[in-house]
Amino acid sequence: MEIPTPLERSTSEMTMSFENHNYEVAGSFVDELVRCGLRHVCICPGSRSTPLTISFARHPGVSTSVHQDERSASFFALGMAKATGIPIALVCTSGTAAAEFHPAVIESSCARVPLLVLTADRPPELHQWGANQTIEQATMYGPHAKWAVQMPVPEQTATLMSFVRATACRAFATAASTPMGTVHINFPFREPLEPNLASDGIVEGAQTGPVALNGRPDGRPFINVSTPLQIPNRRDISRLASELTKVHKGLIVCGPQTAPDFPEVVVALAGKLGYPVLADPLSGVRCGTHDLSLVIDNYDVFLRDPKVVSTLSPDLVLRFGAVPTSKALNQFLDIHRMGRHILVDDEDGWRDPQHVLSEIMRADPNQVCHDLISSLGNRDHQEGWVKRWRNVANVARTAMDQEM
């Protein structure tokens, strides 16, 4: 999926003549998200969210898609975020519209997918007074939101505008940092919501600096956030490489993951080790231009046969990514829990619902694969082990083709 890159913009092009305070805040927030790397937003039309919608539509550096149904929009955004690995924004109006995002927010939290949920809300004076489409939104996603922010009612002051841009930077960085997830920003807007001149004009005496209002003139984010790479410990790599050298009946299991370039490097490691790769449909390893000779993709069929399972007992399982989606594979790993089970994971959390792991290595999976390839050297492969997996996979595929 191709996401448009930001357009080249001069400082003068990005200096917008805001019509009211809603657009000062919404426009600055949107601009800062784009500076941080946002490239796409999914918008569900609504009255209260008009300042956000128009601010996104005005910005040349972000592409928009309009969805009539909030639930559909949220899962569309979830899929796009999985495909790109960068946060995707969601916009909706106030009230129950925001509640329709909740299932996707839960999925985002569990699957570690970066989303930015921007919900419009009514101002404080309308809450708990019977106003239509007015519910408690600030904390509505509970623990499934990685970070939730209640924005103040828009006004033009230097302090607030700096806060708006800083919050946008923090929101994007938080959603994109490991473990990735949803950041929820709730915006209370007073009328007028349309882009007309505000009756009260500019706040008297406000001294909003050009950087706070229009962003940094060089186009950089208001706050530049760097994401550190979790470099594997050399001693851990050396120890693991030594262990793998002695194990011939090993497996590599690739669960759901979105790391770029991972498929190429993990199959290179498998070739070095002589291990079959059991690739989840959401791993990105099943298809592509990389070597597929060791990739097994139909294990969900033949791992349901107890006789087959008994002949494919591994001594070691090296797992990357989330827990596999295949029930048959998870049962297979449970049956063979006496072997060594090692998870490489660069995020917090314990992705081991069956409690079979022997070790968790907290490090970047791509870097671990690269370092292991460099440390392994030449080794003899047990061709019979790989051949056994290939033969079973081929028999299963032939049977499936005949039946289908």
Side-chain angles (χ1 to χ4, degrees):
M1 181 180 298
E2 295 184 359
I3 303 297
T5 56
L7 302 180
E8 294 294 330
R9 299 162 290 160
S10 66
T11 303
S12 59
E13 288 175 326
M14 289 311 303
T15 304
M16 302 172 68
S17 57
F18 297 106
E19 291 85 351
N20 65 37
H21 305 324
N22 292 333
Y23 287 83
E24 293 160 5
V25 168
S28 296
F29 195 90
V30 167
D31 178 53
E32 203 58 47
L33 287 180
V34 176
R35 288 169 182 253
C36 290
L38 184 75
R39 297 294 174 263
H40 192 89
V41 57
C42 299
I43 298 173
C44 300
S47 175
R48 190 65 54 172
S49 57
T50 300
L52 287 169
T53 298
I54 291 182
S55 295
F56 273 115
R58 280 175 166 174
H59 203 293
V62 63
S63 64
T64 61
S65 58
V66 178
H67 306 258
Q68 299 300 321
D69 178 73
E70 286 82 8
R71 186 180 174 99
S72 298
S74 62
F75 279 96
F76 182 91
L78 191 73
M80 186 176 288
K82 281 186 176 183
T84 62
I86 60 175
I88 303 296
L90 275 165
V91 173
C92 75
T93 191
S94 62
T96 55
E100 297 295 335
F101 287 164
H102 206 155
V105 171
I106 295 174
E107 181 74 16
S108 163
S109 174
C110 295
R112 301 179 182 180
V113 180
L115 290 180
L116 292 166
V117 175
L118 281 56
T119 56
D121 199 355
R122 292 176 181 256
E125 62 268 20
L126 295 183
H127 279 259
Q128 300 183 15
W129 289 95
N132 292 330
Q133 287 300 310
T134 306
I135 62 174
E136 173 52 47
Q137 295 181 197
T139 58
M140 70 185 309
Y141 301 127
H144 300 115
K146 188 178 178 183
W147 187 44
V149 186
Q150 174 67 20
M151 298 296 286
V153 176
E155 60 180 2
Q156 191 194 53
T157 66
T159 300
L160 177 58
M161 298 310 296
S162 296
F163 169 76
V164 167
R165 288 189 175 271
T167 301
C169 293
R170 182 176 174 183
F172 190 91
T174 301
S177 63
T178 56
M180 295 185 289
T182 290
V183 170
H184 174 212
I185 307 98
N186 193 53
F187 291 86
F189 292 128
R190 289 194 177 105
E191 295 183 354
L193 302 171
E194 65 277 2
N196 294 326
L197 289 174
S199 58
D200 55 353
I202 302 300
V203 176
E204 185 176 352
Q207 299 295 323
T208 305
V211 172
L213 186 61
N214 300 318
R216 301 198 183 281
D218 58 5
R220 291 183 300 173
F222 195 73
I223 301 175
N224 191 39
V225 181
S226 59
T227 303
L229 181 68
Q230 287 194 290
I231 303 298
N233 184 289
R234 288 185 179 181
R235 287 177 296 179
D236 290 338
I237 290 294
S238 177
R239 173 183 53 78
L240 181 57
S242 177
E243 182 178 358
L244 294 174
T245 301
K246 302 172 185 176
V247 178
H248 295 282
K249 292 172 61 178
L251 288 176
I252 293 178
V253 175
C254 298
Q257 65 84 40
T258 57
D261 304 323
F262 174 75
E264 291 81 1
V265 70
V266 77
V267 296
L269 175 61
K272 196 82 169 180
L273 291 168
Y275 289 177
V277 179
L278 307 189
D280 191 271
L282 301 177
S283 67
V285 181
R286 288 193 175 189
C287 56
T289 58
H290 54 276
D291 181 16
L292 298 174
S293 60
L294 291 173
V295 176
I296 308 295
D297 59 6
N298 61 347
Y299 54 80
D300 190 72
V301 176
F302 61 79
L303 289 183
R304 298 174 184 272
D305 187 327
K307 293 182 180 180
V308 172
V309 169
S310 65
T311 65
L312 297 175
S313 176
D315 294 327
L316 183 145
V317 176
L318 184 60
R319 183 160 71 82
F320 297 89
V323 176
T325 57
S326 167
K327 183 177 180 179
L329 175 54
N330 286 318
Q331 290 176 336
F332 171 82
L333 297 176
D334 189 34
I335 292 172
H336 299 297
R337 62 170 50 241
M338 297 307 294
R340 285 270 288 163
H341 290 249
I342 302 169
L343 171 65
V344 178
D345 192 355
D346 62 345
E347 301 182 0
D348 293 331
W350 298 77
R351 300 204 266 199
D352 182 29
Q354 295 163 293
H355 313 298
V356 298
L357 289 180
S358 310
E359 180 180 345
I360 299 177
M361 181 178 287
R362 300 287 189 199
D364 177 69
N366 287 21
Q367 192 63 49
V368 169
C369 290
H370 280 298
D371 290 353
L372 284 175
I373 291 171
S374 300
S375 301
L376 283 168
N378 296 322
R379 56 165 269 158
D380 295 328
H381 297 165
Q382 192 179 84
E383 294 296 334
W385 173 246
V386 175
K387 186 177 180 180
R388 194 182 309 168
W389 281 88
R390 283 175 170 165
N391 287 343
V392 173
N394 289 336
V395 170
R397 187 173 302 282
T398 300
M400 292 170 62
D401 291 342
Q402 291 174 348
E403 291 298 324
M404 298 295 288

